[in-house]
Amino acid sequence: QAGGATQHSFPSAAATMQFMLLFSRQAKLRLQKWYVPLSDKEKKKTTRELAQTVLARKPKMCSFLEWRDLKIVYKRYASLYFCCAIEDQDNELITLEIIHRYVELLDKYFGSVCELDIFNLEKFLLAREVQETCKKNVLKAMEQADLLQEKTENVYHSKSFTGCKKAY
Amino acid sequence: MPAVSKGDGMRGLAVFISDIRNCKSKEAEIKRINKELANIRSKFKGDKALDGYSKKKYVCKLLFIFLLGHDIDFGHMEAVNLLSSNRYTEKQIGYLFISVLVNSNSELIRLINNAIKNDLASRNPTFMGLALHCIANVGSREMAEAFAGEVPKILVAGDTMDSVKQSAALCLLRLYRTSPDLVPMGDWTSRVVHLLNDQHLGVVTAATSLITTLAQKNPEEFKTSVSLAVSRLSRIVTSASTDLQDYTYYFVPAPWLSVKLLRLLQCYPPPDPAVRGRLTECLETILNKAQEPPKSKKVQHSNAKNAVLFEAISLIIHHDSEPNLLVRACNQLGQFLQHRETNLRYLALESMCTLASSEFSHEAVKTHIDTVINALKTERDVSVRQRAVDLLYAMCDRSNAQQIVAEMLSYLETADYSIREEIVLKVAILAEKYAVDYAWYVDTILNLIRIAGDYVSEEVWYRVIQIVINRDDVQGYAAKTVFEALQAPACHENLVKVGGYILGEFGNLIAGDPRSSPLVQFNLLHSKFHLCSVPTRALLLSTYIKFVNLFPEVKTTIQDVLRSDSQLKNADVELQQRAVEYLRLSTVASTDILATVLEEMPPFPERESSILAKLKKKKGPSTVTDLEDTKRERSVDVNGGPEPVPASTSAASTPSPSADLLGLGAAPAAPAGPPPSSGGGLLVDVFSDSASAVAPLAPGSEDNFARFVCKNNGVLFENQLLQIGLKSEFRQNLGRMFIFYGNKTSTQFLNFTPALICPDDLQSHLNLQTKPVDPTVDGGAQVQQVVNIECVSDFTEAPVLNIQFRYGGTFQNVSVQLPITLNKFFQPTEMSSQDFFQRWKQLSNPQQEVQNIFKAKHPMDTEITKAKIIGFGSALLEEVDPNPANFVGAGIIHTKTTQIGCLLRLEPNLQAQMYRLTLRTSKETVSQRLCELLSQQF
């Protein structure tokens, strides 16, 4: 590294997510989204390590952690922990608010959080980047998609999915 | 999955899912799944053509099974078929399956690409969106090959819907990240830049991410984005909290976009004056807003607002060019240090670390020392305490080293185990670096061993021994101190090692005192012997044989010990061999031979502190370099050249008996001093590269040059391809400069040839030596070049550094002035007021005085001025000038041929915003040059 104060020569795009995990207080993984290629083994190890570290932290502690060469930004919602990995130069606070907006969207649209839902939130986050920050626009896009659906049979509510990751 | 769940219930799927949920055991679940897989397989293989609905249902089941963690090895073709359906849900499930379960089956990829191509051409925004999201999710090379040409067209086409534009921008970003070579820059780039002006803030947000990434590698293509980004930012930060309506997040206007725009600006150096003025206004507005009362009590409001603030501060630090903003940033962070939000305290500590390395804000950061120390003591979260340790380390300089080291030591007693080793390293480095008094250094290290012996790595105790051996003024003290420390009934084994080594070398210095007579010393060490591990015992045996030489009177006692069965017949080969050989040596060798063989260790060659190297390894180089750079003081340490030496453990550090004892050749004495000025070294040949012409000086090079007059480290040059950083140190008439060439691109630089060019008349005044660097610099890599500098006599001009290389087929040629200036060879001289004026009068010959009256170019700040005069190299003499507003300095310029005493006086006139600078030296050219150099600084 060259000397000098101004050596952040490779700025990334402020909050480029490496991955996002959602796990319960019992360390059960509820949701995962990986934006970097990792082997399954590596993913499992990462998840286990992070859940352990994050769950061990006390309520008033700060929401940021150094972990390997990444920064972890986490936040607890009821019994669920959202946990994002960002790069060293990325903005922690804005990441915290990405989590919050994510939760708001999940809440607003689904009523409750479901494992499969994350795929439909590409309107908000795509290719590691925030795409659309306006809540109304994201929801509008998602509702438009819904309108295209054929109306058939009985309504199958998304909540049915919620419990599908059973613990044995 | 609402697309499935709302209004499109697939009964079969619902039944299946509820079956799975009702399974009582893992086995039952697997059984149910296998049954379903068999069913789906038979349906897919069956003769009857399936309709879209059934296909969708089965693919959906497969997807669900996959998400439960089971492998899926069929169904891909059916999923691909769904892509060409005209029903949204069928298409969507198809894309979902492909995104999750795609493999590089080339046959399949062709079909998928075909379907995507149709959707992209469909002009149906929802279908286009699905297709773009699929490309962005998969992002494979095959997809890049197929769509890297098409996506930019969609992105900039006039009739593309906003939502499609957003997806296209991020899709392109993904393709560029995976396969940059497949995304050629073209006409579209200028139109993408103009998306920064788009009406739709969502489009701007997506486009900014894309531009930021593209601009890093293609700076020229995107340079117009700077002024557009500044305008956009300016509109956002000056908007009222409701102007942006839906893009206002908890009363903060477009925080994501603001952060992204600020980050984009970090890709470029500070802009031209006009744009810069507007940017400065934006940054000031953001800083001002931080002082306004919050518009909401919600944490989201403060987080979003502060996210923008921290991003603005990191841009200010990155530009490192506006002292006012830097100081304001520092004050703002100072407020956060005491904020009740733990997150803000954490971030403030973190940001301040980088501020501490700026010339302009280092002093301002130092004023927060008490708060930071308090954080170390009271923070309940170890990650925050860790940041406090980092910041203390970064703000440390000679003025506060004793306090900081003491605080870190006392924190170490209770520190978390996870960070102890790092604190030990930091304390050891600071103690060495800022040791004015080496007794303090020795005390500090012994304290470290006492408090956290287990965390004191070999590097640390090797280092204290190296330093004691190299400095004869501390040897007696060290011997006395370790002797006293060893009196403790239980002392750490590392202390026994240090004690054994030091007494073996310098025990004679305290042997005159009957309380530490040779026999007492020996008995003390030997009382620890049996509790120690094998390597330590081996070391102690070497100490004993050194005692035989130092103190003939204990020879027989030691021989008895060596002769005992527990030594001579020790099961450990190393111990046994030492005992046998030392015993024999002590018996057969004459006093003269003993004295030669067991002579005191020669000084260690100067090298990078091995502990610094270790910390770098632990924390990554950037953190440490940053901290290193903060220091304006010249290094006067015996050791501490920042160059890693490959043989990092010296002969003395290894427990090998022969090297330890003989010290012949293995650790040759290489006293600090001039590098050989002629001979084998490759002298810089000015005309070696005569074939290609040297580029004219890079724009801005003059400014950068001036910035280095008062500092030794920093970034000398930066464009979009290359960053040149410098670290240098000077002592008397010698200096060493480390030039770091960083390849900012992901592509190799070829034929990379930096050359130093001395104008004709400079050559006889300044000797520069360096070695060529590797002609290939990998993408993202950094190479280092060392220049040894000797000042023969005073000089005016500066050498030029010319760099030529090939980058992606184009020839690059950059020239910058290398900031080696006469004042670098300054040694500060303290003197009393009386002395000063006496010398001042002696230098009253008109040729000896040079005076310059000039207008202030920077704000007239006393502290900054003082720092600059010290950075310039002269001593700053307080209370010498009868007018306290004036600054007075004194020093000696060292050249090989002569030494020139220099006095200076700087008189600010605040009202007129002017300065008068007077230089008096015994040589007219020196007065002239120093006056020129220093005048540029204010």
Side-chain angles (χ1 to χ4, degrees):
Chain A
Q1 285 287 331
T6 56
Q7 50 174 297
H8 325 292
S9 16
F10 306 93
S12 61
T16 40
M17 202 134 339
Q18 306 284 307
F19 55 83
M20 180 157 162
L21 304 174
L22 174 57
F23 46 81
S24 69
R25 233 169 43 185
Q26 291 73 36
K28 284 273 176 266
L29 188 63
R30 290 293 182 211
L31 200 66
Q32 48 180 329
K33 183 80 180 165
W34 302 85
Y35 297 100
V36 282
L38 281 180
S39 69
D40 280 355
K41 203 176 145 197
E42 194 58 34
K43 284 181 189 171
K44 283 206 177 96
K45 189 167 169 244
T46 302
T47 311
R48 197 174 50 237
E49 239 177 75
L50 277 180
Q52 215 169 27
T53 317
V54 168
L55 291 171
R57 292 175 61 83
K58 298 193 183 78
K60 286 272 164 150
M61 288 187 165
C62 78
S63 319
F64 320 122
L65 289 177
E66 278 184 336
W67 181 78
R68 301 195 192 159
D69 51 353
L70 295 175
K71 281 196 291 209
I72 302 298
V73 177
Y74 74 92
K75 185 158 177 160
R76 182 180 163 173
Y77 287 87
S79 67
L80 287 177
Y81 287 81
F82 276 82
C83 185
C84 288
I86 54 173
E87 282 167 20
D88 184 44
Q89 298 299 328
D90 290 341
N91 191 314
E92 294 95 340
L93 287 173
I94 208 76
T95 308
L96 211 48
E97 293 319 296
I98 289 180
I99 296 179
H100 186 74
R101 177 116 288 190
Y102 207 96
V103 171
E104 283 181 348
L105 289 166
L106 289 174
D107 246 29
K108 191 96 181 167
Y109 187 60
F110 303 105
S112 77
V113 175
C114 153
E115 278 80 355
L116 295 179
D117 296 338
I118 204 146
F119 298 109
N120 280 345
L121 271 172
E122 276 155 5
K123 194 68 222 163
F124 175 51
L125 267 181
L126 179 66
R128 303 158 65 177
E129 304 285 343
V130 172
Q131 175 171 207
E132 171 62 77
T133 66
C134 162
K135 193 155 73 179
K136 209 159 79 190
N137 285 353
V138 179
L139 294 172
K140 204 165 72 195
M142 292 161 74
E143 274 154 18
Q144 264 171 4
D146 287 350
L147 280 179
L148 283 166
Q149 294 170 178
E150 308 90 323
K151 302 266 178 204
T152 43
E153 294 184 64
N154 52 353
V155 173
Y156 184 88
H157 195 263
S158 65
K159 269 189 178 161
S160 318
F161 277 89
T162 314
C164 68
K165 282 243 164 175
K166 280 181 64 172
Y168 290 103
Chain B
M1 190 174 343
V4 184
S5 56
K6 286 189 186 166
D8 186 34
M10 290 173 278
R11 242 188 103 66
L13 179 62
V15 170
F16 174 58
I17 291 173
S18 98
D19 280 0
I20 294 284
R21 291 181 65 200
N22 292 332
C23 285
K24 294 271 184 290
S25 67
K26 192 89 192 162
E27 289 70 36
E29 180 187 304
I30 291 173
K31 210 172 147 203
R32 178 69 185 87
I33 285 170
N34 284 337
K35 185 180 153 208
E36 194 61 40
L37 286 175
N39 171 39
I40 299 173
R41 222 183 241 115
S42 75
K43 285 285 193 297
F44 283 170
K45 277 199 185 137
D47 302 334
K48 212 174 77 187
L50 292 171
D51 61 6
Y53 169 79
S54 311
K55 255 187 238 163
K56 177 182 73 174
K57 184 175 70 183
Y58 294 130
V59 168
C60 214
K61 281 181 180 173
L62 288 179
L63 199 50
F64 184 74
I65 293 170
F66 176 76
L67 291 180
L68 286 175
H70 302 266
D71 283 339
I72 295 297
D73 54 3
F74 67 102
H76 298 80
M77 191 50 91
E78 285 72 15
V80 173
N81 285 340
L82 287 176
L83 296 184
S84 44
S85 163
N86 273 329
R87 293 174 182 225
Y88 175 79
T89 51
E90 292 176 18
K91 198 186 273 296
Q92 191 213 19
I93 294 297
Y95 273 122
L96 187 51
F97 188 93
I98 300 297
S99 299
V100 176
L101 271 147
V102 85
N103 56 19
S104 6
N105 179 333
S106 62
E107 195 56 25
L108 214 53
I109 287 285
R110 221 162 38 87
L111 293 171
I112 296 170
N113 283 355
N114 215 14
I116 292 177
K117 199 168 280 168
N118 289 337
D119 280 336
L120 289 183
S122 71
R123 309 184 64 86
N124 173 334
T126 314
F127 290 179
M128 289 173 90
L130 278 178
L132 288 168
H133 288 190
C134 177
I135 302 173
N137 279 328
V138 177
S140 65
R141 209 168 160 79
E142 289 88 346
M143 286 205 175
E145 274 164 3
F147 302 109
E150 185 62 23
V151 179
K153 285 185 203 149
I154 297 176
L155 176 59
V156 298
D159 56 350
T160 306
M161 301 257 299
D162 289 335
S163 68
V164 177
K165 270 189 198 160
Q166 288 172 271
S167 304
L170 294 186
C171 177
L172 188 57
L173 171 55
R174 169 70 202 260
L175 295 183
Y176 186 78
R177 278 199 182 125
T178 31
S179 320
D181 53 314
L182 295 179
V183 182
M185 298 300 113
D187 295 343
W188 57 273
T189 54
S190 60
R191 302 178 65 182
V192 166
V193 173
H194 281 278
L195 291 178
L196 290 174
N197 264 337
D198 203 282
Q199 295 256 309
H200 190 283
L201 279 189
V203 171
V204 186
T205 307
T208 309
S209 290
L210 175 65
I211 293 168
T212 304
T213 305
L214 293 175
Q216 284 165 33
K217 306 262 169 73
N218 313 278
E220 271 304 302
E221 301 263 2
F222 291 91
K223 64 172 190 251
T224 47
S225 65
V226 173
S227 64
L228 291 176
V230 171
S231 316
R232 191 91 222 191
L233 184 67
S234 157
R235 268 178 282 161
I236 296 172
V237 297
T238 53
S239 67
S241 59
T242 50
D243 284 359
L244 302 176
Q245 293 172 358
D246 296 340
Y247 288 88
T248 298
Y249 179 82
Y250 291 88
F251 303 101
V252 182
W256 279 278
L257 181 53
S258 307
V259 166
K260 284 187 182 190
L261 289 168
L262 286 162
R263 187 53 65 104
L264 167 59
L265 292 171
Q266 275 201 33
C267 300
Y268 289 91
D272 306 331
V275 180
R276 192 166 172 169
R278 270 190 296 154
L279 176 59
T280 306
E281 273 173 33
C282 286
L283 296 170
E284 279 170 348
T285 311
I286 295 170
L287 286 165
N288 292 341
K289 281 189 176 177
Q291 299 301 326
E292 290 169 11
K295 296 196 171 67
S296 154
K297 285 212 170 88
K298 289 237 163 67
V299 67
Q300 283 77 24
H301 172 69
S302 94
N303 279 349
K305 188 168 150 186
N306 292 326
V308 178
L309 176 61
F310 275 104
E311 200 59 50
I313 290 176
S314 71
L315 181 63
I316 293 169
I317 297 173
H318 184 82
H319 282 166
D320 194 19
S321 59
E322 300 274 348
N324 275 335
L325 288 175
L326 282 159
V327 170
R328 282 197 65 185
C330 185
N331 293 340
Q332 181 60 52
L333 295 176
Q335 286 181 19
F336 284 152
L337 285 182
Q338 315 213 38
H339 203 279
R340 63 189 163 77
E341 279 273 330
T342 315
N343 285 347
L344 291 180
R345 295 197 302 275
Y346 176 97
L347 294 175
L349 289 166
E350 186 182 62
S351 289
M352 263 206 188
C353 265
T354 30
L355 265 184
S357 36
S358 165
E359 298 277 335
F360 303 113
S361 46
H362 181 77
E363 289 301 318
V365 170
K366 273 168 62 186
T367 59
H368 299 287
I369 184 164
D370 293 329
T371 319
V372 182
I373 288 171
N374 193 41
L376 194 59
K377 291 177 175 160
T378 56
E379 282 292 348
R380 275 182 293 174
D381 183 349
V382 59
S383 29
V384 185
R385 291 196 295 271
Q386 166 88 61
R387 293 281 82 81
V389 171
D390 288 349
L391 179 53
L392 283 178
Y393 182 75
M395 66 161 69
C396 191
D397 64 19
R398 205 170 295 283
S399 71
N400 56 19
Q402 301 237 353
Q403 185 190 6
I404 286 179
V405 165
E407 292 295 346
M408 283 190 173
L409 271 176
S410 81
Y411 172 59
L412 193 55
E413 309 233 18
T414 53
D416 310 75
Y417 295 111
S418 56
I419 59 174
R420 280 197 183 185
E421 185 181 356
E422 198 187 311
I423 298 177
V424 167
L425 288 174
K426 286 184 165 156
V427 169
I429 290 167
L430 294 178
E432 175 185 337
K433 188 163 177 156
Y434 299 114
V436 185
D437 166 8
Y438 277 84
W440 172 71
Y441 169 74
V442 170
D443 286 342
T444 305
I445 301 296
L446 291 184
N447 264 329
L448 271 185
I449 296 176
R450 184 179 57 76
I451 297 168
D454 286 343
Y455 298 89
V456 173
S457 55
E458 286 187 330
E459 285 85 351
V460 173
W461 72 262
Y462 290 172
R463 191 71 189 151
V464 66
I465 285 169
Q466 287 175 11
I467 286 175
V468 169
I469 285 176
N470 285 14
R471 299 198 62 99
D472 38 16
D473 53 336
V474 76
Q475 290 160 356
Y477 179 81
K480 181 165 164 286
T481 317
V482 292
F483 177 79
E484 279 161 11
L486 283 168
Q487 306 288 337
C491 49
H492 196 274
E493 189 164 333
N494 278 334
L495 181 66
V496 179
K497 289 178 183 162
V498 175
Y501 202 108
I502 288 181
L503 291 179
E505 295 293 325
F506 309 114
N508 55 328
L509 300 176
I510 56 168
D513 188 329
R515 284 167 299 176
S516 52
S517 72
L519 192 61
V520 175
Q521 286 186 39
F522 172 74
N523 285 337
L524 179 62
L525 284 175
H526 200 55
S527 70
K528 317 279 181 198
F529 186 91
H530 302 281
L531 300 169
C532 291
S533 63
V534 169
T536 309
R537 286 196 220 174
L539 187 150
L540 285 177
L541 289 178
S542 298
T543 304
Y544 298 168
I545 189 71
K546 287 235 164 186
F547 275 3
V548 169
N549 174 46
L550 288 179
F551 315 123
E553 63 267 43
V554 295
K555 181 172 170 179
T556 50
T557 320
I558 288 173
Q559 282 176 331
D560 287 345
V561 169
L562 292 175
R563 203 179 285 120
S564 71
D565 279 357
S566 61
Q567 308 300 346
L568 273 191
K569 295 185 179 166
N570 195 297
D572 186 90
V573 179
E574 178 70 34
L575 292 181
Q576 193 187 93
Q577 187 178 356
R578 285 194 189 208
V580 172
E581 286 177 2
Y582 292 167
L583 181 60
R584 195 76 194 131
L585 182 66
S586 70
T587 325
V588 301
S590 70
T591 336
D592 282 356
I593 291 177
L594 271 183
T596 315
V597 173
L598 302 171
E599 201 184 6
E600 191 181 299
M601 288 295 292
F604 289 88
E606 245 192 272
R607 59 160 56 105
E608 177 184 35
S609 156
S610 46
I611 37 183
L612 197 56
K614 175 151 179 161
L615 186 67
K616 278 183 191 164
K617 217 166 101 194
K618 225 173 131 63
K619 296 287 280 182
S622 57
T623 13
V624 181
T625 328
D626 255 353
L627 304 163
E628 277 285 85
D629 291 340
T630 64
K631 316 309 185 284
R632 278 175 291 245
E633 290 133 307
R634 278 128 208 278
S635 157
V636 292
D637 307 359
V638 181
N639 302 284
E643 181 189 25
V645 174
S648 63
T649 44
S650 67
S653 319
T654 47
S656 149
S658 56
D660 247 359
L661 286 170
L662 303 175
L664 301 170
S677 54
S678 60
L682 279 140
L683 283 162
V684 177
D685 184 352
V686 180
F687 302 106
S688 63
D689 213 347
S690 52
S692 37
V694 167
L697 288 179
S701 156
E702 290 286 327
D703 279 1
N704 258 345
F705 180 82
R707 287 205 297 128
F708 277 88
V709 168
C710 294
K711 68 173 188 178
N712 288 330
N713 306 323
V715 174
L716 175 65
F717 171 84
E718 181 161 15
N719 65 11
Q720 299 309 317
L721 305 175
L722 177 69
Q723 185 192 54
I724 305 176
L726 293 185
K727 282 172 73 74
S728 41
E729 49 180 13
F730 295 89
R731 195 173 309 138
Q732 300 191 334
N733 70 318
L734 300 173
R736 196 151 42 152
M737 180 175 271
F738 296 83
I739 311 179
F740 300 88
Y741 305 98
N743 180 348
K744 293 171 62 177
T745 71
S746 56
T747 316
Q748 270 189 344
F749 292 165
L750 299 173
N751 302 340
F752 187 82
T753 341
L756 291 171
I757 299 163
C758 276
D760 277 346
D761 44 349
L762 181 57
Q763 273 179 49
S764 52
H765 300 292
L766 195 63
N767 241 329
L768 299 180
Q769 282 190 304
T770 188
K771 291 193 176 121
V773 300
D774 193 332
T776 314
V777 185
D778 286 332
Q782 189 177 65
V783 295
Q784 172 193 319
Q785 185 177 31
V786 186
V787 184
N788 286 316
I789 305 156
E790 185 189 28
C791 173
V792 180
S793 54
D794 69 281
F795 60 98
T796 306
E797 286 182 75
V800 171
L801 175 64
N802 173 252
I803 300 129
Q804 308 186 340
F805 58 97
R806 298 195 75 80
Y807 162 71
T810 55
F811 175 73
Q812 305 285 332
N813 192 349
V814 173
S815 285
V816 284
Q817 278 193 305
L818 207 54
I820 300 173
T821 47
L822 185 56
N823 64 301
K824 299 293 179 193
F825 305 97
F826 240 132
Q827 290 288 117
T829 322
E830 294 290 343
M831 58 178 78
S832 69
S833 173
Q834 196 187 352
D835 286 348
F836 181 87
F837 285 108
Q838 193 184 347
R839 287 181 207 201
W840 185 263
K841 282 186 200 119
Q842 281 165 3
L843 295 169
S844 57
N845 188 326
Q847 282 101 50
Q848 293 169 332
E849 181 184 288
V850 173
Q851 194 169 74
N852 187 15
I853 298 172
F854 54 94
K855 203 141 185 73
K857 291 193 288 282
H858 302 287
M860 296 175 79
D861 181 298
T862 308
E863 288 309 311
I864 293 175
T865 306
K866 282 184 182 168
K868 281 185 174 164
I869 291 174
I870 294 168
F872 192 63
S874 67
L876 178 71
L877 305 177
E878 308 269 7
E879 290 168 22
V880 164
D881 199 299
N883 178 353
N886 292 346
F887 304 91
V888 170
I892 295 165
I893 295 279
H894 287 258
T895 72
K896 189 179 176 188
T897 45
T898 175
Q899 300 189 348
I900 305 140
C902 310
L903 303 175
L904 66 89
R905 185 182 200 188
L906 179 71
E907 298 156 276
N909 179 340
L910 278 170
Q911 254 174 340
Q913 289 285 303
M914 303 275 284
Y915 287 102
R916 179 164 66 187
L917 175 65
T918 315
L919 252 301
R920 285 191 181 186
T921 78
S922 48
K923 201 166 172 197
E924 187 183 1
T925 46
V926 174
S927 304
Q928 195 74 47
R929 181 59 180 155
L930 291 179
C931 186
E932 266 169 42
L933 286 169
L934 193 56
S935 301
Q936 304 162 359
Q937 299 298 316
F938 299 104

